Amino acid sequence: MTPVPFVMQLLNALAAMLLLLSFAMLAQRRVVTLVDLFALQGAVLCAATLLLAWRTGETNLYISAALTLALKVIVLPRLLHRLIRRLGVYWDTDPLLNIPGTMLVGLMIVVFAFGLAQPISALASTATRSAVGIAVAVILLAFLTMITRRKAMSQVVGFLSMENGLFFGAMSATYGMPMVVELGVALDVLVAMLVLGVFFFQIREQFDSLDLEELEARKEER
Amino acid sequence: MRSLHWFTQVLEVAAALAAAPLFHGWVNQCRAWLQNRSAPPLLQTYRGIRKLFYKDAVIAERASPLFRIAPYVVFATMLTAAAIIPSMGTRLPFSSSADAIALVGLFATARVFLALAAMDIGTAFGTLGARREMMVGFLAEPALLMVVFVASLISMTTSLPAISERLATQALTLSPSLAFTAVAFTMVLLAENGRIPIDNPATHLELTMIHEAMMLEYSARHLALMELAAALKLFNYACIGFALFIPWGTAMGGGGPGALLAAVPILGAKLAVAGAALAVIETVSAKLRVFRAPEFLATAFLFAVLGLLVH
């Protein structure tokens, strides 16, 4: 067994942390903690990007690390916290599936993601190719978070976490997306957040709740 | 050299038998200090067990032979387990006959006998305790097996001393999979030994108890053996943890009597730290409702499987 350089070990540890945080978000019932976990995931992602930038010497990775820090660790969590305060949604009601069940489904998803990522990482020539599986798993777990929640608020956090996974995947497969795409995605996420913020108020005014079941019920009545 | 290996083997079993109540007492003492109570003396567990051996045993009228045999079986399995776990030296003559998976099986045997004996009398409390124990057990066992598998995958063997030796001699790396597994193992340890998030070892005759409920009908020497077995189980789990996650300091294959001599105080130091840490965990966490236990153990399983996957 050849010894792995320490930077790569650290990078792998950070990737494992990302996966763990995804599971923590999957199991979390309190919306406030969910947002905190999302911010933490952003911070881990930022650290991983910085580490990779330092190792490969790619300058645009430094920029995307800065972007991650500004957007996902500072701006978005603050926006979300303010929304939570103003809307007064602190708890998600019971998720659609109980927590141990969700965990087991999540585990199966991780196995599936690792299998899915194997051909990709075999083709990739980057030093971080083993992390592609974790990136796919983070994306799918965020999907699962969105699926199992009732409240719009936690679904949005799941959506944002999915973006984290995409970002990490791009980073580990090809050392990041082109700068234009990255800036575009960052702006998209910010705008989406603002639009969704307005949308929340609209939903609440219409249905007196942020429970999206109500929207479905309305559809069936027609 | 062979005689030294046998000496190590005998020493380990004797040390487990002698030190297990001491470790139990140490954990209790630390707990009492942390909770601002005046602590029981360190040797209290020995005294309790000695007292019980002098008493006359009372056995329920309808008890089957199983009820009488169970304490001896449980105690013997725990002692056998202690013989397999490399707490001081890794060259154990016994270890070639049973690997880490057999060790999990030994714990399962003890659990089955304990649960059967608890149901044997037919009291409500015994049956309740047995059912809960089985519920905890069937969730904790896969997690423990997963923990063992991760360590086996890293070292390519299922023999516990060989795993320990390999882990101690490999280059020091930052291993997220071992970190996850360590968390999973700690959670399994808490659940399997009736520690606080799952069961409270200090309560008797309350509706929440698990382990104590199964032993309510036992008295005198049977109870003494059961309590000794429980202390041994805790000691064994601690030693498995040391063997997997902090294997440094045990006498490895090439080491002579000197290494073995050095391993004794190192094991003592590890036990002292682990006991204090266990007391801290128990003090800062609240007991979970029984129906939250599956959630706790599912998390342990999750950690172990994640450890397996990120390896």
Side-chain angles (χ1 to χ4, degrees):
Chain A
M1 209 168 75
T2 52
V4 189
F6 182 70
V7 180
M8 295 318 289
Q9 285 177 33
L10 205 57
L11 210 56
N12 279 337
L14 286 176
M17 279 283 292
L18 275 183
L19 190 59
L20 188 64
L21 283 171
S22 286
F23 268 104
M25 288 171 81
L26 195 60
Q28 190 52 247
R29 289 199 191 100
R30 294 187 59 187
V31 182
V32 181
T33 321
L34 197 65
V35 174
D36 288 343
L37 283 172
F38 168 72
L40 194 62
Q41 201 181 33
V44 172
L45 189 63
C46 176
T49 319
L50 270 181
L51 207 62
L52 193 65
W54 181 68
R55 185 172 159 76
T56 57
E58 306 240 349
T59 33
N60 62 347
L61 278 179
Y62 282 111
I63 301 173
S64 46
L67 212 61
T68 310
L69 184 69
L71 207 61
K72 287 174 194 152
V73 185
I74 299 169
V75 177
L76 284 179
R78 283 200 172 191
L79 272 177
L80 284 167
H81 274 305
R82 217 177 61 192
L83 268 177
I84 290 171
R85 261 203 313 277
R86 285 177 57 185
L87 289 166
V89 276
Y90 294 101
W91 284 84
D92 203 330
T93 42
D94 279 337
L96 295 178
L97 202 61
N98 65 0
I99 301 279
T102 322
M103 295 282 200
L104 286 182
V105 175
L107 271 182
M108 278 188 269
I109 281 179
V110 176
V111 174
F112 174 74
F114 276 38
L116 198 69
Q118 211 147 37
I120 305 174
S121 48
L123 282 175
S125 56
T126 51
T128 43
R129 54 180 178 272
S130 57
V132 176
I134 290 184
V136 177
V138 170
I139 297 170
L140 292 179
L141 285 175
F143 241 140
L144 188 65
T145 314
M146 288 176 71
I147 291 169
T148 52
R149 299 311 166 100
R150 285 176 210 271
K151 288 275 161 75
M153 204 67 206
S154 18
Q155 292 192 355
V156 165
V157 180
F159 171 74
L160 292 173
S161 158
M162 191 156 71
E163 211 271 324
N164 274 351
L166 277 173
F167 190 82
F168 187 66
M171 197 182 89
S172 50
T174 60
Y175 291 149
M177 292 178 264
M179 210 59 233
V180 183
V181 178
E182 216 157 88
L183 282 173
V185 170
L187 201 64
D188 262 0
V189 168
L190 194 60
V191 170
M193 192 56 238
L194 293 174
V195 172
L196 282 168
V198 176
F199 200 55
F200 285 159
F201 285 101
Q202 295 289 334
I203 295 176
R204 197 180 57 166
E205 247 171 52
Q206 288 290 320
F207 302 110
D208 287 333
S209 128
L210 274 179
D211 202 328
L212 293 187
E213 297 260 290
E214 312 251 358
L215 284 176
E216 287 166 26
R218 178 56 63 97
K219 200 174 66 194
E220 278 161 18
E221 268 172 31
R222 225 176 13 177
Chain B
M1 216 54 202
R2 257 196 96 62
S3 57
L4 180 68
H5 293 163
W6 278 103
F7 177 68
T8 313
Q9 182 73 76
V10 173
L11 181 70
E12 278 202 357
V13 177
L17 201 53
L22 190 68
F23 183 52
H24 191 256
W26 168 242
V27 175
N28 280 347
Q29 205 167 37
C30 285
R31 265 169 55 119
W33 282 332
L34 283 170
Q35 294 162 1
N36 273 337
R37 290 184 283 128
S38 55
L42 200 55
L43 302 179
Q44 187 59 46
T45 317
Y46 292 105
R47 288 181 188 154
I49 289 171
R50 188 171 139 258
K51 178 191 76 185
L52 286 172
F53 269 122
Y54 278 114
K55 290 194 166 183
D56 281 334
V58 179
I59 288 178
E61 243 172 57
R62 297 286 171 83
S64 73
L66 182 88
F67 186 78
R68 286 162 180 273
I69 298 167
Y72 300 99
V73 174
V74 173
F75 177 71
T77 45
M78 287 307 155
L79 209 56
T80 318
I84 306 170
I85 301 164
S87 57
M88 291 181 213
T90 54
R91 287 299 155 90
L92 302 173
F94 263 35
S95 66
S96 56
S97 59
D99 60 5
I101 297 168
L103 185 68
V104 179
L106 271 176
F107 286 132
T109 314
R111 183 183 4 259
V112 167
F113 270 91
L114 197 57
L116 283 178
M119 290 194 286
D120 189 61
I121 303 289
T123 57
F125 265 123
T127 316
L128 174 141
R131 283 170 180 231
R132 287 180 177 174
E133 171 80 5
M134 289 325 259
M135 181 184 80
V136 170
F138 103 95
L139 291 159
E141 218 163 82
L144 183 60
L145 267 178
M146 279 295 161
V147 169
V148 168
F149 287 160
V150 174
S152 318
L153 202 64
I154 291 173
S155 51
M156 289 302 174
T157 168
T158 57
S159 156
L160 202 53
I163 291 173
S164 182
E165 206 163 306
R166 187 72 58 87
L167 288 176
T169 49
Q170 75 176 10
L172 206 59
T173 52
L174 197 67
S175 166
S177 81
L178 271 183
F180 285 169
T181 325
V183 174
F185 181 78
T186 311
M187 293 172 86
V188 172
L189 185 150
L190 291 171
E192 284 271 36
N193 289 289
R195 295 279 142 184
I196 249 178
I198 298 297
D199 185 13
N200 189 349
T203 56
H204 283 259
L205 276 175
E206 278 179 29
L207 284 171
T208 55
M209 63 186 174
I210 300 177
H211 185 75
E212 295 299 332
M214 291 194 292
M215 309 213 297
L216 274 183
E217 294 298 323
Y218 277 113
S219 57
R221 56 179 185 278
H222 299 126
L223 183 58
L225 278 178
M226 282 297 200
E227 287 195 345
L228 200 52
L232 262 175
K233 189 174 182 186
L234 183 62
F235 181 86
N236 281 343
Y237 264 88
C239 285
I240 297 174
F242 300 152
L244 294 183
F245 306 112
I246 29 176
W248 305 281
T250 52
M252 295 296 156
L260 188 62
L261 208 63
V264 179
I266 291 176
L267 178 68
K270 282 180 189 170
L271 282 173
V273 173
L278 185 60
V280 170
I281 294 176
E282 278 198 86
T283 309
V284 297
S285 50
K287 193 186 163 306
L288 293 175
R289 274 186 297 139
V290 173
F291 294 109
R292 288 287 296 275
E295 227 166 90
F296 180 81
L297 288 161
T299 313
F301 183 70
L302 174 84
F303 268 104
V305 176
L306 278 187
L308 195 69
L309 287 173
V310 298
H311 166 63

